[in-house]
Amino acid sequence: MDTSRQQNMFRREYLGKGIATVCGLFLIVLTIAIGCFLLGKGSLTFTQFDHSITEFLFSSQWKPSDTEAGGGQVGALIFIVGSILTCALALLISVPFSLCTAIFMTKISPQLGEKIIRPAVEIFVGIPSVVYGWVGLVVLVPLIKTVFHVQHGQSVLAAAIVLAVMIYPTITSVSADAIRSVNSKYIEGAYGLGSTRWQMIYKVLLPAASTGILTAIVLGLARAFGEALAVSMVIGKMRAFPDSLLAPTNNLTSAIASDMGGAMDGGEFNAALWSMALLLFIISLVFILIIHALSGRKGAAA
Amino acid sequence: MYNDSVLGVAAAEASMPIRSNLSFTCNHVNLYYGSFQALKDINLKIERNKITALIGPSGCGKSTFLRTLNRMNDLVPGCRVEGEIMLDGVDAYKDVDPIVLRRHVGMVFQQPNPFPKSIYDNVAYGPRLKGITKKAELDEIVETSLRQAAIWDELKDRLKKSALGLSGGQQQRLCIARALAVNPEVLLMDEATSALDPISTAHIEDLALELKKKYTVIMVTHNMQQAKRIADRTAFFYLGEMVEYGDTQQIFDNPQKERTIRYVSGNFG
Ligand SMILES: Nc1ncnc2c1ncn2[C@@H]1O[C@H](COP(=O)(O)OP(=O)(O)O)[C@@H](O)[C@H]1O
Ligand SMILES: [Mg+2]
């Protein structure tokens, strides 16, 4: 009986290990497959249709022809600028709020932080992006229209605010973890030298948590870059450089999402959209590499 | 707001007639963590320019007492202090802001805790808090403080390097330099050598003997040999009470109280 139970244990051990390994391998294969697929599809613009990478990245002439013959123009600069602008502005809005919340919930009022803010932040993370977009469309867009007296409220600003709200919980909760994990001996040391609470926070606590806070910001940025639905609802989807933050424009994700259905398979238009998807993939890969480099640095410092 | 001279001014007014040789005077100090009483009616006068050692078994309240002297216990939620603690004739709990008090009463902790910054920035941290920003002035403070901590020669060529790259003993001396840079009158050390090797420990003991010429040193130690070697006065704590206090030699060679006799002879239990 004893031996059969042992055999059973071993069998379960191997079974568990086997399943875990297969899942892990599958994930790796899947990631590589998606990467290769995107690379294959996305590079057609440059191989089959003979456009240069420079044109794609730095030209704003976007007239891809929806045929297999090609011959159009595939400058995606407007979309790229739109993505960068909205994300940068979203960060600018979100980071100060997130850091203040993170500091408040960890160091100023931990009880309130644990009981109310942390659950609230977790709920925020779970709200689907269509809700953010919708609320943005019916509340934010009319508000911008009336406050700034512009023709359409759909704008860079609207997109940036929606994105800022969406990434706020991510940055807040990851930075709060980073602040919480700062060794209390630094905090004691700072107080012991006669720091006020604020001096302790900005001279010791935040620098000591800076790696984790940077990770939080990159995570937020990655989420903002990849977001399509909510942004496409409020950005205005106009193919022009915005002349102000109140002007509409377009970005990579919205352009792909709205045009992919209409573009003919095998055509130049389709290939150009795939190139934009490839670009997004590469950017998110870069973000992930940055996060890894950061956490490696944190490991070395501790 | 956090004017550094507040304590000095008050001290000048309050203790004008006698520049006493006392640093801290504690009268009937009780301390509670919530409902738990960690210090019971402590009465103690600490002499200026001496090394005072606090000894006693673990958990008897040595650290707690030390941290009442610079009000670090204010940071512990639910902690309450009763009684009177006077420093230079100033009531440390009534007449002075804890931030200002801590600039007069420096502290060195059990685990060396230099900030993850450069050696220079660690030492310059306190002076910068006080609003000193001129480079020449900071340079001078950094050099004198590191010299006082007997570590200038070792570190002078790597001031811009991270303090975390130093050995434990060097880190602890850096922390002492960092505390001295604020120009305190009293230096509190809470088992500052217990995480160090014997050679580093000897360095710090020599340093303490040197520092008492200018500062008042109060140290917690669980190492009775250390108290014997360097302390002028020794206080024995047991279960939150201060059982006996006197010259170090008297405490170790001729203790008066039963509990002290058992503790210093090693038959404690
Ligand atoms: N922050 C705290 N909250 C509650 N109890 C504490 C706290 N710090 C210390 N104590 C208690 O107070 C007593 C004295 O502790 P401590 O001063 O650290 O002793 P020692 O330094 O002599 O080893 C111990 O019983 C300890 O458990
Ligand atoms: Mg202790």
Side-chain angles (χ1 to χ4, degrees), chain A residues 179-227:
Chain A
I179 290 174
R180 250 184 238 112
S181 68
V182 169
N183 196 323
S184 64
K185 70 183 188 181
Y186 296 139
I187 297 169
E188 288 214 310
Y191 278 128
L193 290 164
S195 310
T196 61
R197 179 154 71 179
W198 179 238
Q199 286 171 329
M200 181 281 289
I201 288 172
Y202 82 88
K203 283 175 180 266
V204 174
L205 190 66
L206 291 182
S210 61
T211 313
I213 291 173
L214 271 179
T215 305
I217 293 174
V218 177
L219 274 173
L221 192 58
R223 179 158 191 219
F225 242 94
E227 176 52 40

Short mmCIF file of all heavy atoms in Angstrom, two decimals, chain A residues 179-227:
data_model
loop_
_atom_site.label_atom_id
_atom_site.label_comp_id
_atom_site.label_asym_id
_atom_site.label_seq_id
_atom_site.Cartn_x
_atom_site.Cartn_y
_atom_site.Cartn_z
N ILE A 179 7.35 51.33 -3.20
CA ILE A 179 7.58 52.17 -2.02
C ILE A 179 7.50 51.33 -0.76
O ILE A 179 8.31 51.47 0.16
CB ILE A 179 6.55 53.32 -1.99
CG1 ILE A 179 6.86 54.31 -3.11
CG2 ILE A 179 6.56 54.02 -0.64
CD1 ILE A 179 5.84 55.39 -3.28
N ARG A 180 6.52 50.42 -0.73
CA ARG A 180 6.38 49.55 0.45
C ARG A 180 7.62 48.70 0.65
O ARG A 180 8.00 48.41 1.78
CB ARG A 180 5.18 48.63 0.25
CG ARG A 180 4.02 48.97 1.18
CD ARG A 180 2.90 47.97 1.03
NE ARG A 180 1.70 48.67 0.65
CZ ARG A 180 1.09 48.56 -0.52
NH1 ARG A 180 1.56 47.76 -1.44
NH2 ARG A 180 0.03 49.26 -0.78
N SER A 181 8.26 48.30 -0.43
CA SER A 181 9.38 47.38 -0.27
C SER A 181 10.70 48.09 0.01
O SER A 181 11.72 47.43 0.13
CB SER A 181 9.51 46.49 -1.51
OG SER A 181 9.91 47.28 -2.60
N VAL A 182 10.69 49.41 0.15
CA VAL A 182 11.92 50.10 0.55
C VAL A 182 12.24 49.72 1.99
O VAL A 182 11.38 49.77 2.86
CB VAL A 182 11.75 51.64 0.43
CG1 VAL A 182 12.92 52.35 1.09
CG2 VAL A 182 11.66 52.04 -1.02
N ASN A 183 13.47 49.31 2.19
CA ASN A 183 13.89 48.86 3.52
C ASN A 183 13.67 49.94 4.57
O ASN A 183 14.07 51.09 4.39
CB ASN A 183 15.38 48.51 3.45
CG ASN A 183 15.81 47.67 4.62
OD1 ASN A 183 15.33 47.89 5.74
ND2 ASN A 183 16.68 46.72 4.39
N SER A 184 13.02 49.58 5.67
CA SER A 184 12.66 50.60 6.67
C SER A 184 13.90 51.19 7.33
O SER A 184 13.82 52.24 7.95
CB SER A 184 11.74 50.01 7.73
OG SER A 184 12.42 49.00 8.43
N LYS A 185 15.06 50.54 7.17
CA LYS A 185 16.26 51.12 7.79
C LYS A 185 16.65 52.44 7.14
O LYS A 185 17.20 53.32 7.79
CB LYS A 185 17.42 50.13 7.76
CG LYS A 185 18.01 49.87 6.40
CD LYS A 185 19.12 48.82 6.48
CE LYS A 185 19.83 48.70 5.15
NZ LYS A 185 20.89 47.69 5.17
N TYR A 186 16.31 52.61 5.85
CA TYR A 186 16.57 53.89 5.20
C TYR A 186 15.67 54.97 5.77
O TYR A 186 16.08 56.12 5.96
CB TYR A 186 16.34 53.81 3.69
CG TYR A 186 17.28 52.86 2.97
CD1 TYR A 186 16.82 52.03 1.97
CD2 TYR A 186 18.63 52.81 3.31
CE1 TYR A 186 17.67 51.16 1.31
CE2 TYR A 186 19.48 51.96 2.66
CZ TYR A 186 19.00 51.13 1.66
OH TYR A 186 19.85 50.28 1.01
N ILE A 187 14.41 54.58 6.02
CA ILE A 187 13.43 55.55 6.53
C ILE A 187 13.84 55.99 7.93
O ILE A 187 13.84 57.19 8.25
CB ILE A 187 12.03 54.91 6.51
CG1 ILE A 187 11.66 54.59 5.06
CG2 ILE A 187 11.01 55.82 7.15
CD1 ILE A 187 10.44 53.72 4.91
N GLU A 188 14.23 55.02 8.77
CA GLU A 188 14.69 55.36 10.12
C GLU A 188 15.91 56.26 10.05
O GLU A 188 16.03 57.24 10.80
CB GLU A 188 15.05 54.09 10.88
CG GLU A 188 13.87 53.26 11.28
CD GLU A 188 14.12 52.59 12.61
OE1 GLU A 188 15.19 51.96 12.75
OE2 GLU A 188 13.27 52.70 13.51
N GLY A 189 16.84 55.89 9.16
CA GLY A 189 18.05 56.70 9.02
C GLY A 189 17.72 58.14 8.66
O GLY A 189 18.28 59.08 9.22
N ALA A 190 16.77 58.31 7.76
CA ALA A 190 16.40 59.66 7.34
C ALA A 190 15.78 60.44 8.49
O ALA A 190 16.15 61.59 8.75
CB ALA A 190 15.42 59.59 6.17
N TYR A 191 14.87 59.81 9.22
CA TYR A 191 14.27 60.50 10.36
C TYR A 191 15.31 60.78 11.43
O TYR A 191 15.31 61.84 12.06
CB TYR A 191 13.14 59.66 10.96
CG TYR A 191 11.83 59.79 10.23
CD1 TYR A 191 11.14 58.66 9.80
CD2 TYR A 191 11.26 61.03 9.99
CE1 TYR A 191 9.93 58.76 9.14
CE2 TYR A 191 10.06 61.15 9.33
CZ TYR A 191 9.38 60.01 8.91
OH TYR A 191 8.19 60.11 8.26
N GLY A 192 16.21 59.82 11.64
CA GLY A 192 17.22 59.97 12.68
C GLY A 192 18.13 61.17 12.44
O GLY A 192 18.71 61.71 13.37
N LEU A 193 18.25 61.59 11.17
CA LEU A 193 19.10 62.75 10.88
C LEU A 193 18.31 64.05 10.93
O LEU A 193 18.84 65.11 10.60
CB LEU A 193 19.73 62.58 9.49
CG LEU A 193 20.78 61.49 9.42
CD1 LEU A 193 21.06 61.10 7.99
CD2 LEU A 193 22.05 61.94 10.10
N GLY A 194 17.04 63.97 11.32
CA GLY A 194 16.27 65.20 11.45
C GLY A 194 15.52 65.58 10.19
O GLY A 194 15.30 66.76 9.94
N SER A 195 15.14 64.59 9.36
CA SER A 195 14.32 64.91 8.18
C SER A 195 12.89 65.14 8.62
O SER A 195 12.40 64.47 9.52
CB SER A 195 14.30 63.74 7.19
OG SER A 195 15.57 63.28 6.91
N THR A 196 12.21 66.07 7.95
CA THR A 196 10.77 66.12 8.09
C THR A 196 10.21 64.95 7.27
O THR A 196 10.95 64.32 6.51
CB THR A 196 10.20 67.42 7.52
OG1 THR A 196 10.54 67.47 6.13
CG2 THR A 196 10.80 68.63 8.21
N ARG A 197 8.91 64.69 7.42
CA ARG A 197 8.35 63.57 6.67
C ARG A 197 8.52 63.80 5.16
O ARG A 197 8.87 62.89 4.42
CB ARG A 197 6.88 63.38 7.01
CG ARG A 197 6.27 62.25 6.21
CD ARG A 197 5.12 61.62 6.90
NE ARG A 197 3.97 62.50 6.91
CZ ARG A 197 2.79 62.18 7.45
NH1 ARG A 197 2.65 61.03 8.04
NH2 ARG A 197 1.80 63.02 7.42
N TRP A 198 8.28 65.02 4.73
CA TRP A 198 8.38 65.30 3.30
C TRP A 198 9.81 65.14 2.81
O TRP A 198 10.07 64.59 1.74
CB TRP A 198 7.81 66.69 3.03
CG TRP A 198 7.89 67.07 1.59
CD1 TRP A 198 8.52 68.15 1.06
CD2 TRP A 198 7.34 66.35 0.48
NE1 TRP A 198 8.40 68.15 -0.29
CE2 TRP A 198 7.68 67.06 -0.68
CE3 TRP A 198 6.60 65.17 0.36
CZ2 TRP A 198 7.30 66.64 -1.94
CZ3 TRP A 198 6.23 64.75 -0.91
CH2 TRP A 198 6.58 65.48 -2.04
N GLN A 199 10.78 65.61 3.62
CA GLN A 199 12.19 65.44 3.23
C GLN A 199 12.54 63.96 3.14
O GLN A 199 13.25 63.53 2.22
CB GLN A 199 13.11 66.13 4.24
CG GLN A 199 13.09 67.64 4.12
CD GLN A 199 13.82 68.33 5.26
OE1 GLN A 199 13.85 67.83 6.39
NE2 GLN A 199 14.40 69.49 4.99
N MET A 200 12.04 63.17 4.11
CA MET A 200 12.30 61.74 4.07
C MET A 200 11.74 61.16 2.76
O MET A 200 12.40 60.37 2.09
CB MET A 200 11.63 61.08 5.28
CG MET A 200 11.81 59.60 5.42
SD MET A 200 10.74 58.61 4.39
CE MET A 200 9.15 58.83 5.15
N ILE A 201 10.53 61.59 2.39
CA ILE A 201 9.88 61.01 1.21
C ILE A 201 10.65 61.36 -0.06
O ILE A 201 10.99 60.47 -0.85
CB ILE A 201 8.42 61.48 1.11
CG1 ILE A 201 7.59 60.78 2.19
CG2 ILE A 201 7.84 61.19 -0.27
CD1 ILE A 201 6.18 61.29 2.32
N TYR A 202 10.98 62.65 -0.27
CA TYR A 202 11.54 62.95 -1.59
C TYR A 202 13.05 62.82 -1.65
O TYR A 202 13.61 62.71 -2.73
CB TYR A 202 11.03 64.29 -2.13
CG TYR A 202 11.71 65.53 -1.64
CD1 TYR A 202 12.84 66.04 -2.27
CD2 TYR A 202 11.21 66.21 -0.55
CE1 TYR A 202 13.46 67.19 -1.83
CE2 TYR A 202 11.82 67.36 -0.09
CZ TYR A 202 12.94 67.84 -0.73
OH TYR A 202 13.56 68.97 -0.28
N LYS A 203 13.72 62.80 -0.51
CA LYS A 203 15.17 62.64 -0.57
C LYS A 203 15.63 61.20 -0.40
O LYS A 203 16.72 60.83 -0.80
CB LYS A 203 15.83 63.49 0.52
CG LYS A 203 15.89 64.96 0.17
CD LYS A 203 16.46 65.74 1.34
CE LYS A 203 16.53 67.20 1.03
NZ LYS A 203 17.82 67.64 0.50
N VAL A 204 14.83 60.37 0.28
CA VAL A 204 15.27 59.00 0.54
C VAL A 204 14.31 57.97 -0.04
O VAL A 204 14.71 57.09 -0.80
CB VAL A 204 15.45 58.78 2.06
CG1 VAL A 204 15.76 57.32 2.34
CG2 VAL A 204 16.55 59.66 2.59
N LEU A 205 13.03 58.11 0.30
CA LEU A 205 12.08 57.07 -0.08
C LEU A 205 11.94 56.95 -1.60
O LEU A 205 12.10 55.87 -2.17
CB LEU A 205 10.73 57.39 0.56
CG LEU A 205 9.68 56.30 0.47
CD1 LEU A 205 10.11 55.11 1.30
CD2 LEU A 205 8.33 56.81 0.96
N LEU A 206 11.65 58.07 -2.27
CA LEU A 206 11.44 57.99 -3.71
C LEU A 206 12.70 57.57 -4.46
O LEU A 206 12.63 56.70 -5.33
CB LEU A 206 10.88 59.31 -4.25
CG LEU A 206 9.44 59.63 -3.82
CD1 LEU A 206 8.96 60.93 -4.45
CD2 LEU A 206 8.49 58.50 -4.18
N PRO A 207 13.89 58.14 -4.13
CA PRO A 207 15.09 57.65 -4.82
C PRO A 207 15.32 56.16 -4.58
O PRO A 207 15.68 55.43 -5.51
CB PRO A 207 16.23 58.48 -4.21
CG PRO A 207 15.57 59.72 -3.71
CD PRO A 207 14.19 59.32 -3.30
N ALA A 208 15.06 55.69 -3.36
CA ALA A 208 15.30 54.27 -3.09
C ALA A 208 14.30 53.40 -3.85
O ALA A 208 14.60 52.26 -4.18
CB ALA A 208 15.21 53.99 -1.59
N ALA A 209 13.13 53.94 -4.14
CA ALA A 209 12.11 53.17 -4.86
C ALA A 209 12.14 53.46 -6.35
O ALA A 209 11.29 52.97 -7.09
CB ALA A 209 10.73 53.47 -4.30
N SER A 210 13.13 54.24 -6.82
CA SER A 210 13.06 54.76 -8.18
C SER A 210 13.02 53.67 -9.24
O SER A 210 12.31 53.80 -10.24
CB SER A 210 14.24 55.70 -8.44
OG SER A 210 15.43 55.00 -8.30
N THR A 211 13.74 52.58 -9.02
CA THR A 211 13.73 51.51 -10.02
C THR A 211 12.33 50.94 -10.19
O THR A 211 11.84 50.78 -11.31
CB THR A 211 14.69 50.39 -9.61
OG1 THR A 211 15.92 50.97 -9.22
CG2 THR A 211 14.92 49.44 -10.74
N GLY A 212 11.69 50.66 -9.06
CA GLY A 212 10.34 50.13 -9.11
C GLY A 212 9.36 51.12 -9.70
O GLY A 212 8.44 50.75 -10.44
N ILE A 213 9.56 52.39 -9.41
CA ILE A 213 8.67 53.42 -9.94
C ILE A 213 8.84 53.52 -11.46
O ILE A 213 7.87 53.63 -12.21
CB ILE A 213 8.93 54.77 -9.25
CG1 ILE A 213 8.47 54.68 -7.79
CG2 ILE A 213 8.19 55.90 -9.96
CD1 ILE A 213 8.83 55.88 -6.95
N LEU A 214 10.10 53.44 -11.92
CA LEU A 214 10.34 53.44 -13.37
C LEU A 214 9.67 52.25 -14.03
O LEU A 214 9.06 52.38 -15.09
CB LEU A 214 11.85 53.39 -13.64
CG LEU A 214 12.55 54.74 -13.73
CD1 LEU A 214 14.03 54.54 -13.98
CD2 LEU A 214 11.94 55.54 -14.88
N THR A 215 9.78 51.09 -13.39
CA THR A 215 9.11 49.90 -13.92
C THR A 215 7.61 50.16 -14.05
O THR A 215 6.99 49.84 -15.07
CB THR A 215 9.34 48.69 -13.00
OG1 THR A 215 10.74 48.53 -12.83
CG2 THR A 215 8.75 47.44 -13.58
N ALA A 216 7.04 50.78 -13.01
CA ALA A 216 5.62 51.09 -13.04
C ALA A 216 5.28 51.99 -14.22
O ALA A 216 4.29 51.78 -14.92
CB ALA A 216 5.21 51.77 -11.73
N ILE A 217 6.13 52.98 -14.44
CA ILE A 217 5.86 53.92 -15.52
C ILE A 217 5.95 53.23 -16.88
O ILE A 217 5.11 53.44 -17.76
CB ILE A 217 6.84 55.12 -15.44
CG1 ILE A 217 6.52 55.93 -14.18
CG2 ILE A 217 6.73 56.00 -16.67
CD1 ILE A 217 7.50 57.04 -13.90
N VAL A 218 6.96 52.37 -17.04
CA VAL A 218 7.09 51.66 -18.32
C VAL A 218 5.90 50.73 -18.55
O VAL A 218 5.37 50.63 -19.66
CB VAL A 218 8.42 50.88 -18.39
CG1 VAL A 218 8.51 50.11 -19.70
CG2 VAL A 218 9.59 51.83 -18.27
N LEU A 219 5.45 50.07 -17.47
CA LEU A 219 4.27 49.20 -17.60
C LEU A 219 3.06 50.02 -18.04
O LEU A 219 2.29 49.60 -18.92
CB LEU A 219 3.96 48.55 -16.25
CG LEU A 219 4.70 47.26 -15.94
CD1 LEU A 219 4.40 46.84 -14.50
CD2 LEU A 219 4.26 46.17 -16.90
N GLY A 220 2.88 51.19 -17.42
CA GLY A 220 1.77 52.06 -17.79
C GLY A 220 1.88 52.50 -19.24
O GLY A 220 0.91 52.48 -20.00
N LEU A 221 3.11 52.85 -19.63
CA LEU A 221 3.35 53.29 -21.00
C LEU A 221 3.02 52.17 -21.99
O LEU A 221 2.39 52.40 -23.04
CB LEU A 221 4.81 53.72 -21.13
CG LEU A 221 5.21 54.47 -22.39
CD1 LEU A 221 4.38 55.72 -22.53
CD2 LEU A 221 6.69 54.83 -22.34
N ALA A 222 3.43 50.96 -21.64
CA ALA A 222 3.17 49.83 -22.53
C ALA A 222 1.67 49.63 -22.70
O ALA A 222 1.18 49.39 -23.80
CB ALA A 222 3.81 48.56 -21.96
N ARG A 223 0.95 49.77 -21.59
CA ARG A 223 -0.50 49.61 -21.68
C ARG A 223 -1.10 50.72 -22.55
O ARG A 223 -1.96 50.46 -23.39
CB ARG A 223 -1.11 49.64 -20.27
CG ARG A 223 -2.60 49.51 -20.32
CD ARG A 223 -3.27 49.01 -19.06
NE ARG A 223 -4.65 48.71 -19.37
CZ ARG A 223 -5.68 48.95 -18.56
NH1 ARG A 223 -5.46 49.46 -17.37
NH2 ARG A 223 -6.91 48.67 -18.93
N ALA A 224 -0.63 51.93 -22.36
CA ALA A 224 -1.17 53.06 -23.12
C ALA A 224 -0.90 52.88 -24.61
O ALA A 224 -1.75 53.13 -25.45
CB ALA A 224 -0.56 54.37 -22.62
N PHE A 225 0.32 52.42 -24.95
CA PHE A 225 0.69 52.25 -26.36
C PHE A 225 -0.17 51.22 -27.05
O PHE A 225 -0.51 51.35 -28.21
CB PHE A 225 2.17 51.84 -26.46
CG PHE A 225 2.98 52.84 -27.21
CD1 PHE A 225 3.65 53.82 -26.51
CD2 PHE A 225 3.05 52.83 -28.59
CE1 PHE A 225 4.39 54.78 -27.19
CE2 PHE A 225 3.79 53.78 -29.27
CZ PHE A 225 4.46 54.75 -28.57
N GLY A 226 -0.52 50.17 -26.31
CA GLY A 226 -1.24 49.07 -26.94
C GLY A 226 -2.75 49.27 -26.94
O GLY A 226 -3.47 48.51 -27.58
N GLU A 227 -3.25 50.27 -26.22
CA GLU A 227 -4.69 50.45 -26.11
C GLU A 227 -5.28 50.96 -27.43
O GLU A 227 -4.80 51.93 -27.99
CB GLU A 227 -5.00 51.42 -24.97
CG GLU A 227 -6.45 51.76 -24.83
CD GLU A 227 -7.34 50.53 -24.74
OE1 GLU A 227 -6.95 49.56 -24.07
OE2 GLU A 227 -8.42 50.53 -25.37
#
